[in-house]
Short mmCIF file of all heavy atoms in Angstrom, two decimals:
data_model
loop_
_atom_site.label_atom_id
_atom_site.label_comp_id
_atom_site.label_asym_id
_atom_site.label_seq_id
_atom_site.Cartn_x
_atom_site.Cartn_y
_atom_site.Cartn_z
N VAL A 1 8.72 9.80 5.27
CA VAL A 1 8.88 10.75 6.30
C VAL A 1 7.57 10.71 7.13
O VAL A 1 6.48 10.70 6.72
CB VAL A 1 9.13 12.18 5.76
CG1 VAL A 1 9.16 13.12 6.78
CG2 VAL A 1 10.30 12.11 4.86
N GLU A 2 7.88 10.83 8.51
CA GLU A 2 6.68 10.98 9.35
C GLU A 2 6.67 12.33 10.10
O GLU A 2 7.80 12.83 10.42
CB GLU A 2 6.66 10.01 10.39
CG GLU A 2 6.21 8.52 9.95
CD GLU A 2 5.68 7.57 10.99
OE1 GLU A 2 5.09 8.17 11.85
OE2 GLU A 2 5.94 6.48 10.88
N ASN A 3 5.49 12.97 10.14
CA ASN A 3 5.38 14.25 10.67
C ASN A 3 4.14 14.27 11.59
O ASN A 3 3.07 14.19 11.04
CB ASN A 3 5.29 15.32 9.51
CG ASN A 3 5.24 16.70 10.09
OD1 ASN A 3 5.46 17.00 11.25
ND2 ASN A 3 4.87 17.64 9.21
N ASN A 4 4.37 14.33 12.94
CA ASN A 4 3.26 14.25 13.78
C ASN A 4 2.29 13.05 13.52
O ASN A 4 1.17 13.09 13.58
CB ASN A 4 2.38 15.60 13.71
CG ASN A 4 3.18 16.71 14.14
OD1 ASN A 4 3.98 16.58 15.13
ND2 ASN A 4 2.97 17.84 13.53
N GLY A 5 2.97 11.87 13.22
CA GLY A 5 2.26 10.74 13.01
C GLY A 5 1.63 10.59 11.65
O GLY A 5 1.10 9.47 11.35
N LYS A 6 1.79 11.54 10.85
CA LYS A 6 1.22 11.46 9.40
C LYS A 6 2.45 11.13 8.42
O LYS A 6 3.47 11.71 8.55
CB LYS A 6 0.57 12.75 9.09
CG LYS A 6 -0.58 13.10 9.84
CD LYS A 6 -1.19 14.40 9.40
CE LYS A 6 -2.36 14.88 10.39
NZ LYS A 6 -2.94 16.05 9.93
N ARG A 7 2.12 10.22 7.57
CA ARG A 7 3.19 9.77 6.60
C ARG A 7 3.11 10.58 5.32
O ARG A 7 2.01 10.95 4.90
CB ARG A 7 2.97 8.38 6.28
CG ARG A 7 3.14 7.46 7.43
CD ARG A 7 3.16 6.07 7.10
NE ARG A 7 4.52 5.89 6.43
CZ ARG A 7 5.22 4.71 6.43
NH1 ARG A 7 4.88 3.71 6.93
NH2 ARG A 7 6.44 4.72 5.80
N THR A 8 4.24 11.05 4.86
CA THR A 8 4.25 11.76 3.58
C THR A 8 5.29 11.11 2.69
O THR A 8 6.17 10.45 3.13
CB THR A 8 4.71 13.29 3.83
OG1 THR A 8 6.00 13.31 4.46
CG2 THR A 8 3.65 14.00 4.64
N ASN A 9 5.15 11.28 1.41
CA ASN A 9 6.05 10.88 0.39
C ASN A 9 6.72 12.01 -0.34
O ASN A 9 6.15 12.39 -1.39
CB ASN A 9 5.34 9.90 -0.58
CG ASN A 9 4.70 8.76 0.09
OD1 ASN A 9 5.28 8.10 0.98
ND2 ASN A 9 3.43 8.50 -0.08
N MET A 10 7.72 12.51 0.21
CA MET A 10 8.37 13.66 -0.33
C MET A 10 9.92 13.23 -0.65
O MET A 10 10.55 12.62 0.23
CB MET A 10 8.44 14.80 0.64
CG MET A 10 7.08 15.34 0.90
SD MET A 10 7.10 16.60 2.13
CE MET A 10 6.79 18.06 0.95
N ILE A 11 10.35 13.71 -1.75
CA ILE A 11 11.80 13.45 -2.11
C ILE A 11 12.30 14.76 -2.68
O ILE A 11 11.71 15.55 -3.38
CB ILE A 11 11.95 12.41 -3.26
CG1 ILE A 11 11.51 11.11 -2.79
CG2 ILE A 11 13.46 12.41 -3.78
CD1 ILE A 11 11.41 10.05 -3.88
N PHE A 12 13.50 15.27 -2.12
CA PHE A 12 14.08 16.49 -2.51
C PHE A 12 15.50 16.12 -3.21
O PHE A 12 16.18 15.18 -2.67
CB PHE A 12 14.42 17.35 -1.43
CG PHE A 12 13.21 18.05 -0.75
CD1 PHE A 12 12.44 17.32 0.17
CD2 PHE A 12 12.69 19.27 -1.30
CE1 PHE A 12 11.39 17.90 0.81
CE2 PHE A 12 11.62 19.84 -0.65
CZ PHE A 12 11.00 19.19 0.34
N PHE A 13 15.85 16.60 -4.37
CA PHE A 13 17.16 16.34 -4.83
C PHE A 13 17.63 17.61 -5.68
O PHE A 13 16.78 18.41 -6.10
CB PHE A 13 17.13 15.05 -5.68
CG PHE A 13 16.40 15.07 -7.04
CD1 PHE A 13 16.97 15.47 -8.18
CD2 PHE A 13 15.03 14.80 -7.08
CE1 PHE A 13 16.32 15.54 -9.35
CE2 PHE A 13 14.28 14.91 -8.39
CZ PHE A 13 14.99 15.29 -9.48
N SER A 14 18.84 17.62 -5.87
CA SER A 14 19.56 18.67 -6.56
C SER A 14 20.07 18.12 -7.88
O SER A 14 20.63 17.08 -7.90
CB SER A 14 20.65 19.34 -5.70
OG SER A 14 20.13 19.89 -4.64
N LEU A 15 19.96 18.90 -8.98
CA LEU A 15 20.56 18.56 -10.24
C LEU A 15 21.95 18.87 -10.24
O LEU A 15 22.48 19.81 -9.62
CB LEU A 15 19.90 19.36 -11.33
CG LEU A 15 18.37 19.12 -11.57
CD1 LEU A 15 17.83 20.21 -12.46
CD2 LEU A 15 18.17 17.80 -12.14
N PRO A 16 22.80 18.04 -11.02
CA PRO A 16 24.26 18.35 -11.14
C PRO A 16 24.47 19.64 -11.86
O PRO A 16 23.65 20.12 -12.55
CB PRO A 16 24.74 17.09 -11.87
CG PRO A 16 23.58 16.62 -12.65
CD PRO A 16 22.39 16.87 -11.80
N GLU A 17 25.65 20.20 -11.59
CA GLU A 17 26.08 21.51 -12.35
C GLU A 17 25.99 21.15 -13.81
O GLU A 17 26.31 20.08 -14.29
CB GLU A 17 27.40 21.89 -11.91
CG GLU A 17 27.46 22.34 -10.53
CD GLU A 17 26.60 23.71 -10.36
OE1 GLU A 17 26.52 24.51 -11.28
OE2 GLU A 17 25.98 23.74 -9.26
N GLY A 18 25.64 22.17 -14.57
CA GLY A 18 25.44 21.99 -16.12
C GLY A 18 24.43 22.78 -16.59
O GLY A 18 23.97 23.79 -15.89
N ASP A 19 23.97 22.58 -17.78
CA ASP A 19 23.08 23.40 -18.50
C ASP A 19 21.55 23.27 -18.03
O ASP A 19 20.83 24.03 -18.15
CB ASP A 19 23.16 23.24 -19.92
CG ASP A 19 24.45 23.76 -20.59
OD1 ASP A 19 25.07 24.61 -20.01
OD2 ASP A 19 24.86 23.02 -21.55
N LEU A 20 21.27 22.10 -17.55
CA LEU A 20 19.91 21.68 -17.12
C LEU A 20 19.43 22.33 -15.92
O LEU A 20 20.13 22.18 -14.89
CB LEU A 20 19.77 20.11 -17.09
CG LEU A 20 18.33 19.64 -16.70
CD1 LEU A 20 17.27 20.01 -17.96
CD2 LEU A 20 18.40 18.11 -16.51
N THR A 21 18.42 23.07 -15.95
CA THR A 21 17.83 23.73 -14.67
C THR A 21 16.61 23.04 -14.25
O THR A 21 16.02 22.24 -15.04
CB THR A 21 17.47 25.18 -15.04
OG1 THR A 21 16.37 25.27 -15.97
CG2 THR A 21 18.70 26.01 -15.54
N ALA A 22 16.09 23.31 -13.15
CA ALA A 22 14.97 22.72 -12.60
C ALA A 22 13.76 22.95 -13.43
O ALA A 22 12.92 22.14 -13.78
CB ALA A 22 14.82 23.15 -11.12
N ASP A 23 13.65 24.24 -13.93
CA ASP A 23 12.45 24.68 -14.91
C ASP A 23 12.59 23.85 -16.20
O ASP A 23 11.53 23.38 -16.64
CB ASP A 23 12.48 26.13 -15.02
CG ASP A 23 12.04 27.02 -13.77
OD1 ASP A 23 11.40 26.41 -12.98
OD2 ASP A 23 12.44 28.20 -13.76
N MET A 24 13.76 23.75 -16.69
CA MET A 24 13.87 22.92 -17.96
C MET A 24 13.39 21.44 -17.68
O MET A 24 12.68 20.82 -18.52
CB MET A 24 15.35 22.87 -18.43
CG MET A 24 15.61 24.30 -18.93
SD MET A 24 17.48 24.39 -19.17
CE MET A 24 17.70 23.29 -20.51
N LEU A 25 13.78 20.86 -16.58
CA LEU A 25 13.45 19.48 -16.26
C LEU A 25 11.92 19.36 -16.09
O LEU A 25 11.34 18.39 -16.56
CB LEU A 25 14.21 18.93 -15.11
CG LEU A 25 14.00 17.47 -14.69
CD1 LEU A 25 14.34 16.55 -15.79
CD2 LEU A 25 14.74 17.06 -13.44
N ILE A 26 11.38 20.32 -15.34
CA ILE A 26 9.91 20.36 -15.08
C ILE A 26 9.14 20.35 -16.46
O ILE A 26 8.26 19.63 -16.63
CB ILE A 26 9.54 21.45 -14.21
CG1 ILE A 26 9.97 21.20 -12.80
CG2 ILE A 26 8.02 21.74 -14.22
CD1 ILE A 26 9.95 22.45 -11.93
N ASP A 27 9.65 21.29 -17.35
CA ASP A 27 9.01 21.30 -18.64
C ASP A 27 9.12 19.95 -19.37
O ASP A 27 8.05 19.45 -19.93
CB ASP A 27 9.57 22.40 -19.43
CG ASP A 27 8.92 22.68 -20.79
OD1 ASP A 27 7.72 22.86 -20.89
OD2 ASP A 27 9.64 22.67 -21.78
N ARG A 28 10.21 19.43 -19.48
CA ARG A 28 10.40 18.15 -20.15
C ARG A 28 9.57 17.00 -19.59
O ARG A 28 8.91 16.24 -20.29
CB ARG A 28 11.87 17.69 -20.14
CG ARG A 28 12.81 18.55 -20.95
CD ARG A 28 14.13 17.95 -20.78
NE ARG A 28 15.25 18.82 -21.30
CZ ARG A 28 16.44 18.49 -21.34
NH1 ARG A 28 16.88 17.36 -20.72
NH2 ARG A 28 17.37 19.24 -21.71
N CYS A 29 9.57 16.95 -18.23
CA CYS A 29 8.85 15.77 -17.71
C CYS A 29 7.30 16.00 -17.67
O CYS A 29 6.57 15.02 -17.87
CB CYS A 29 9.29 15.64 -16.18
SG CYS A 29 11.01 15.01 -16.07
N SER A 30 6.94 17.30 -17.67
CA SER A 30 5.53 17.52 -17.78
C SER A 30 4.97 17.01 -19.10
O SER A 30 3.71 16.56 -19.14
CB SER A 30 5.14 18.86 -17.32
OG SER A 30 5.60 19.76 -18.44
N LYS A 31 5.76 17.18 -19.99
CA LYS A 31 5.24 16.78 -21.43
C LYS A 31 5.05 15.21 -21.49
O LYS A 31 4.44 14.77 -22.28
CB LYS A 31 6.26 17.21 -22.45
CG LYS A 31 6.20 18.72 -22.60
CD LYS A 31 7.30 19.12 -23.63
CE LYS A 31 7.22 20.63 -23.80
NZ LYS A 31 8.45 21.23 -24.60
N ARG A 32 5.69 14.54 -20.52
CA ARG A 32 5.56 13.08 -20.50
C ARG A 32 4.65 12.61 -19.30
O ARG A 32 4.74 11.45 -18.97
CB ARG A 32 6.94 12.50 -20.29
CG ARG A 32 7.82 12.90 -21.54
CD ARG A 32 9.25 12.21 -21.41
NE ARG A 32 9.06 10.76 -21.41
CZ ARG A 32 10.18 9.97 -21.18
NH1 ARG A 32 11.39 10.50 -21.05
NH2 ARG A 32 10.09 8.61 -21.30
N GLY A 33 3.94 13.62 -18.74
CA GLY A 33 2.92 13.21 -17.66
C GLY A 33 3.44 13.10 -16.26
O GLY A 33 2.75 12.61 -15.35
N VAL A 34 4.70 13.66 -16.00
CA VAL A 34 5.32 13.54 -14.63
C VAL A 34 5.42 15.02 -14.21
O VAL A 34 6.10 15.95 -14.81
CB VAL A 34 6.60 12.94 -14.63
CG1 VAL A 34 7.26 12.99 -13.22
CG2 VAL A 34 6.52 11.48 -15.09
N PHE A 35 4.67 15.32 -13.11
CA PHE A 35 4.65 16.74 -12.58
C PHE A 35 5.30 16.88 -11.26
O PHE A 35 5.09 16.10 -10.38
CB PHE A 35 3.16 17.19 -12.55
CG PHE A 35 2.44 17.10 -13.86
CD1 PHE A 35 1.64 16.01 -14.19
CD2 PHE A 35 2.48 18.08 -14.89
CE1 PHE A 35 1.14 15.77 -15.37
CE2 PHE A 35 2.01 17.93 -16.09
CZ PHE A 35 1.26 16.78 -16.37
N PHE A 36 6.04 17.97 -11.04
CA PHE A 36 6.68 18.25 -9.74
C PHE A 36 7.08 19.78 -9.72
O PHE A 36 6.70 20.49 -10.68
CB PHE A 36 7.90 17.33 -9.49
CG PHE A 36 8.84 17.23 -10.59
CD1 PHE A 36 9.81 18.13 -10.81
CD2 PHE A 36 8.69 16.23 -11.56
CE1 PHE A 36 10.75 17.99 -11.82
CE2 PHE A 36 9.62 16.12 -12.60
CZ PHE A 36 10.61 17.02 -12.73
N THR A 37 7.69 20.17 -8.62
CA THR A 37 7.97 21.55 -8.42
C THR A 37 9.52 21.78 -8.22
O THR A 37 10.12 20.88 -7.75
CB THR A 37 7.09 22.21 -7.33
OG1 THR A 37 7.48 21.54 -6.06
CG2 THR A 37 5.70 22.21 -7.58
N ALA A 38 9.89 23.17 -8.39
CA ALA A 38 11.17 23.42 -8.20
C ALA A 38 11.25 24.18 -6.91
O ALA A 38 10.38 24.91 -6.53
CB ALA A 38 11.71 24.40 -9.26
N LYS A 39 12.39 23.95 -6.15
CA LYS A 39 12.56 24.68 -4.87
C LYS A 39 13.83 25.54 -5.07
O LYS A 39 14.45 25.96 -4.03
CB LYS A 39 12.79 23.68 -3.80
CG LYS A 39 11.48 22.86 -3.49
CD LYS A 39 10.24 23.67 -3.32
CE LYS A 39 10.14 24.05 -1.88
NZ LYS A 39 8.91 24.86 -1.70
N GLY A 40 14.19 25.83 -6.25
CA GLY A 40 15.38 26.68 -6.55
C GLY A 40 15.83 26.25 -8.03
O GLY A 40 15.17 25.60 -8.65
N GLU A 41 16.96 26.93 -8.41
CA GLU A 41 17.33 26.78 -9.76
C GLU A 41 17.68 25.36 -10.13
O GLU A 41 17.56 24.83 -11.19
CB GLU A 41 18.47 27.69 -10.12
CG GLU A 41 19.07 27.63 -11.53
CD GLU A 41 20.13 28.61 -11.88
OE1 GLU A 41 20.53 29.37 -11.04
OE2 GLU A 41 20.55 28.52 -13.06
N ARG A 42 18.24 24.61 -9.19
CA ARG A 42 18.62 23.18 -9.36
C ARG A 42 18.09 22.27 -8.29
O ARG A 42 18.38 21.12 -8.30
CB ARG A 42 20.31 23.17 -9.30
CG ARG A 42 20.88 23.94 -10.41
CD ARG A 42 22.26 23.48 -10.55
NE ARG A 42 22.88 24.24 -11.70
CZ ARG A 42 22.61 24.02 -12.87
NH1 ARG A 42 21.68 23.24 -13.25
NH2 ARG A 42 23.19 24.83 -13.82
N ARG A 43 17.14 22.71 -7.49
CA ARG A 43 16.56 21.86 -6.43
C ARG A 43 15.15 21.48 -6.87
O ARG A 43 14.27 22.34 -7.28
CB ARG A 43 16.52 22.68 -5.17
CG ARG A 43 16.09 21.86 -4.09
CD ARG A 43 17.40 21.36 -3.24
NE ARG A 43 16.90 20.87 -1.89
CZ ARG A 43 17.28 19.75 -1.42
NH1 ARG A 43 18.01 18.88 -2.18
NH2 ARG A 43 16.88 19.29 -0.29
N ILE A 44 14.80 20.16 -6.75
CA ILE A 44 13.51 19.65 -7.10
C ILE A 44 12.85 19.07 -5.91
O ILE A 44 13.50 18.45 -5.07
CB ILE A 44 13.79 18.46 -8.13
CG1 ILE A 44 14.53 18.91 -9.36
CG2 ILE A 44 12.41 17.74 -8.48
CD1 ILE A 44 13.74 19.82 -10.25
N ARG A 45 11.49 19.13 -5.81
CA ARG A 45 10.66 18.62 -4.85
C ARG A 45 9.63 17.65 -5.51
O ARG A 45 8.89 18.16 -6.37
CB ARG A 45 10.10 19.69 -4.10
CG ARG A 45 8.94 19.19 -3.09
CD ARG A 45 8.34 20.30 -2.30
NE ARG A 45 7.29 19.89 -1.46
CZ ARG A 45 5.97 20.13 -1.66
NH1 ARG A 45 5.63 20.82 -2.64
NH2 ARG A 45 5.19 19.77 -0.74
N LEU A 46 9.69 16.30 -5.06
CA LEU A 46 8.68 15.41 -5.59
C LEU A 46 7.80 15.10 -4.44
O LEU A 46 8.25 14.75 -3.26
CB LEU A 46 9.38 14.18 -6.08
CG LEU A 46 10.47 14.39 -7.13
CD1 LEU A 46 11.10 12.96 -7.40
CD2 LEU A 46 9.93 14.86 -8.37
N VAL A 47 6.57 14.93 -4.75
CA VAL A 47 5.54 14.45 -3.73
C VAL A 47 4.61 13.52 -4.44
O VAL A 47 4.01 13.95 -5.47
CB VAL A 47 4.67 15.66 -3.08
CG1 VAL A 47 3.71 15.11 -2.05
CG2 VAL A 47 5.57 16.69 -2.46
N THR A 48 4.25 12.34 -3.84
CA THR A 48 3.36 11.45 -4.38
C THR A 48 2.07 11.41 -3.61
O THR A 48 2.06 11.62 -2.49
CB THR A 48 3.85 9.99 -4.49
OG1 THR A 48 4.18 9.54 -3.16
CG2 THR A 48 5.13 9.91 -5.45
N HIS A 49 0.97 11.24 -4.35
CA HIS A 49 -0.32 11.10 -3.67
C HIS A 49 -0.48 9.64 -3.08
O HIS A 49 0.27 8.76 -3.47
CB HIS A 49 -1.36 11.28 -4.80
CG HIS A 49 -2.77 11.37 -4.16
ND1 HIS A 49 -3.54 10.21 -3.93
CD2 HIS A 49 -3.56 12.36 -3.71
CE1 HIS A 49 -4.75 10.49 -3.52
NE2 HIS A 49 -4.72 11.91 -3.27
N LEU A 50 -1.24 9.54 -2.05
CA LEU A 50 -1.50 8.32 -1.46
C LEU A 50 -1.83 7.18 -2.42
O LEU A 50 -1.48 6.02 -2.13
CB LEU A 50 -2.62 8.44 -0.33
CG LEU A 50 -3.04 7.24 0.43
CD1 LEU A 50 -1.99 6.78 1.29
CD2 LEU A 50 -4.31 7.59 1.17
N ASP A 51 -2.56 7.58 -3.46
CA ASP A 51 -3.00 6.48 -4.39
C ASP A 51 -2.02 6.06 -5.51
O ASP A 51 -2.27 5.32 -6.32
CB ASP A 51 -4.27 6.89 -5.08
CG ASP A 51 -5.50 7.01 -4.04
OD1 ASP A 51 -5.45 6.30 -3.01
OD2 ASP A 51 -6.32 7.94 -4.19
N VAL A 52 -0.89 6.72 -5.44
CA VAL A 52 0.16 6.41 -6.41
C VAL A 52 0.80 5.08 -6.12
O VAL A 52 1.30 4.88 -4.97
CB VAL A 52 1.19 7.46 -6.54
CG1 VAL A 52 2.43 7.05 -7.48
CG2 VAL A 52 0.64 8.79 -7.14
N SER A 53 0.87 4.10 -6.94
CA SER A 53 1.44 2.84 -6.66
C SER A 53 2.97 2.90 -6.83
O SER A 53 3.51 3.81 -7.40
CB SER A 53 0.85 1.74 -7.77
OG SER A 53 1.36 2.00 -8.96
N ARG A 54 3.61 1.78 -6.31
CA ARG A 54 4.95 1.67 -6.46
C ARG A 54 5.47 1.71 -7.81
O ARG A 54 6.35 2.26 -8.28
CB ARG A 54 5.60 0.37 -5.62
CG ARG A 54 6.93 0.20 -5.72
CD ARG A 54 7.45 -1.03 -5.06
NE ARG A 54 8.76 -1.32 -4.82
CZ ARG A 54 9.88 -1.02 -5.42
NH1 ARG A 54 9.73 -0.11 -6.38
NH2 ARG A 54 11.07 -1.36 -5.03
N GLU A 55 4.68 0.97 -8.78
CA GLU A 55 4.99 0.77 -10.09
C GLU A 55 4.85 2.16 -10.71
O GLU A 55 5.74 2.57 -11.67
CB GLU A 55 4.09 -0.18 -10.86
CG GLU A 55 4.32 -1.53 -10.50
CD GLU A 55 3.60 -1.91 -9.06
OE1 GLU A 55 2.81 -1.13 -8.56
OE2 GLU A 55 4.17 -3.00 -8.49
N GLN A 56 3.94 2.95 -10.55
CA GLN A 56 3.81 4.32 -11.10
C GLN A 56 4.96 5.29 -10.62
O GLN A 56 5.47 6.03 -11.43
CB GLN A 56 2.43 4.96 -10.66
CG GLN A 56 1.19 4.30 -11.27
CD GLN A 56 -0.11 4.79 -10.69
OE1 GLN A 56 -0.19 4.84 -9.37
NE2 GLN A 56 -1.00 5.02 -11.54
N ALA A 57 5.30 5.09 -9.35
CA ALA A 57 6.44 5.87 -8.84
C ALA A 57 7.71 5.51 -9.52
O ALA A 57 8.47 6.38 -9.93
CB ALA A 57 6.58 5.78 -7.34
N VAL A 58 7.93 4.24 -9.84
CA VAL A 58 9.15 3.77 -10.50
C VAL A 58 9.14 4.24 -11.94
O VAL A 58 10.19 4.74 -12.46
CB VAL A 58 9.25 2.22 -10.45
CG1 VAL A 58 10.33 1.68 -11.38
CG2 VAL A 58 9.55 1.79 -8.99
N ALA A 59 7.97 4.26 -12.57
CA ALA A 59 7.90 4.73 -13.99
C ALA A 59 8.15 6.20 -14.01
O ALA A 59 8.91 6.72 -14.94
CB ALA A 59 6.44 4.41 -14.55
N ALA A 60 7.64 7.06 -13.06
CA ALA A 60 7.95 8.45 -13.00
C ALA A 60 9.44 8.69 -12.76
O ALA A 60 10.05 9.58 -13.54
CB ALA A 60 7.12 9.06 -11.87
N ALA A 61 10.06 7.92 -11.90
CA ALA A 61 11.52 8.08 -11.71
C ALA A 61 12.30 7.67 -12.89
O ALA A 61 13.22 8.49 -13.17
CB ALA A 61 11.83 7.17 -10.45
N ASP A 62 11.84 6.71 -13.58
CA ASP A 62 12.53 6.41 -14.85
C ASP A 62 12.53 7.53 -15.88
O ASP A 62 13.49 7.90 -16.56
CB ASP A 62 12.00 5.11 -15.46
CG ASP A 62 12.26 3.79 -14.70
OD1 ASP A 62 13.29 3.82 -13.89
OD2 ASP A 62 11.60 2.85 -14.95
N ILE A 63 11.40 8.20 -15.92
CA ILE A 63 11.18 9.29 -16.97
C ILE A 63 12.18 10.50 -16.45
O ILE A 63 12.83 11.15 -17.26
CB ILE A 63 9.79 9.78 -16.93
CG1 ILE A 63 8.90 8.74 -17.72
CG2 ILE A 63 9.58 11.22 -17.65
CD1 ILE A 63 7.45 8.93 -17.64
N ILE A 64 12.13 10.76 -15.14
CA ILE A 64 13.02 11.84 -14.66
C ILE A 64 14.51 11.56 -14.95
O ILE A 64 15.19 12.47 -15.42
CB ILE A 64 12.78 12.06 -13.13
CG1 ILE A 64 11.32 12.60 -12.89
CG2 ILE A 64 13.82 12.95 -12.54
CD1 ILE A 64 10.94 12.50 -11.42
N VAL A 65 14.92 10.37 -14.64
CA VAL A 65 16.27 9.95 -14.90
C VAL A 65 16.63 10.12 -16.39
O VAL A 65 17.68 10.69 -16.85
CB VAL A 65 16.65 8.51 -14.46
CG1 VAL A 65 17.99 8.10 -14.92
CG2 VAL A 65 16.57 8.50 -12.92
N GLU A 66 15.73 9.67 -17.30
CA GLU A 66 16.00 9.81 -18.76
C GLU A 66 16.16 11.24 -19.11
O GLU A 66 16.96 11.57 -20.02
CB GLU A 66 14.79 9.12 -19.46
CG GLU A 66 14.75 7.55 -19.54
CD GLU A 66 13.40 7.11 -20.12
OE1 GLU A 66 12.66 7.84 -20.79
OE2 GLU A 66 13.18 5.95 -19.89
N GLU A 67 15.28 12.04 -18.72
CA GLU A 67 15.44 13.45 -19.05
C GLU A 67 16.55 14.20 -18.49
O GLU A 67 17.12 15.13 -19.13
CB GLU A 67 14.11 14.16 -18.49
CG GLU A 67 12.82 13.78 -19.20
CD GLU A 67 12.91 13.96 -20.80
OE1 GLU A 67 13.55 14.85 -21.31
OE2 GLU A 67 12.13 13.17 -21.56
N VAL A 68 17.02 13.76 -17.24
CA VAL A 68 18.20 14.31 -16.70
C VAL A 68 19.42 14.00 -17.54
O VAL A 68 20.36 14.78 -17.76
CB VAL A 68 18.51 13.89 -15.25
CG1 VAL A 68 19.80 14.35 -14.74
CG2 VAL A 68 17.34 14.62 -14.38
N ARG A 69 19.49 12.71 -18.09
CA ARG A 69 20.53 12.24 -18.77
C ARG A 69 20.68 12.74 -20.22
O ARG A 69 21.68 12.65 -20.90
CB ARG A 69 20.58 10.67 -18.83
CG ARG A 69 20.86 10.09 -17.58
CD ARG A 69 20.90 8.54 -17.58
NE ARG A 69 21.32 8.12 -16.32
CZ ARG A 69 21.20 6.84 -15.93
NH1 ARG A 69 20.63 5.92 -16.71
NH2 ARG A 69 21.72 6.53 -14.72
N GLN A 70 19.54 13.40 -20.79
CA GLN A 70 19.62 13.94 -22.11
C GLN A 70 20.57 15.09 -22.31
O GLN A 70 20.71 15.95 -21.54
CB GLN A 70 18.18 14.33 -22.54
CG GLN A 70 17.44 13.24 -23.00
CD GLN A 70 16.03 13.84 -23.70
OE1 GLN A 70 15.97 14.96 -23.95
NE2 GLN A 70 15.28 12.84 -24.01
#
């Protein structure tokens, strides 16, 4: 995303209906070293730092997907 010429790495997504809430997912992922914030009961906001590599971002995404599927 570009904002006034500055690049940002933000992803927003919503969890499917079910028992898993954003807070639950945040707790599970933080125990595995992946940290992010909730923007609602089922809405997630991810932001990467400039120094996060593609490989690190993919590894974090894999963890998030694994935890969502549990």
Side-chain angles (χ1 to χ4, degrees):
V1 174
E2 284 203 36
N3 184 11
N4 297 326
K6 296 179 183 179
R7 297 189 73 150
T8 60
N9 299 312
M10 299 175 105
I11 297 172
F12 292 86
F13 69 93
S14 297
L15 295 170
E17 290 297 321
D19 295 332
L20 182 64
T21 65
D23 288 338
M24 292 167 64
L25 182 61
I26 288 168
D27 182 56
R28 289 181 190 179
C29 291
S30 67
K31 291 176 182 172
R32 297 182 64 185
V34 178
F35 303 96
F36 49 88
T37 58
K39 299 305 279 181
E41 185 178 356
R42 298 200 177 290
R43 187 96 167 130
I44 303 289
R45 175 181 174 246
L46 305 172
V47 180
T48 61
H49 186 272
L50 177 64
D51 295 330
V52 172
S53 70
R54 182 183 190 331
E55 292 78 17
Q56 291 169 315
V58 169
D62 289 343
I63 289 170
I64 293 167
V65 169
E66 287 172 13
E67 294 300 334
V68 168
R69 289 183 175 166
Q70 280 193 4

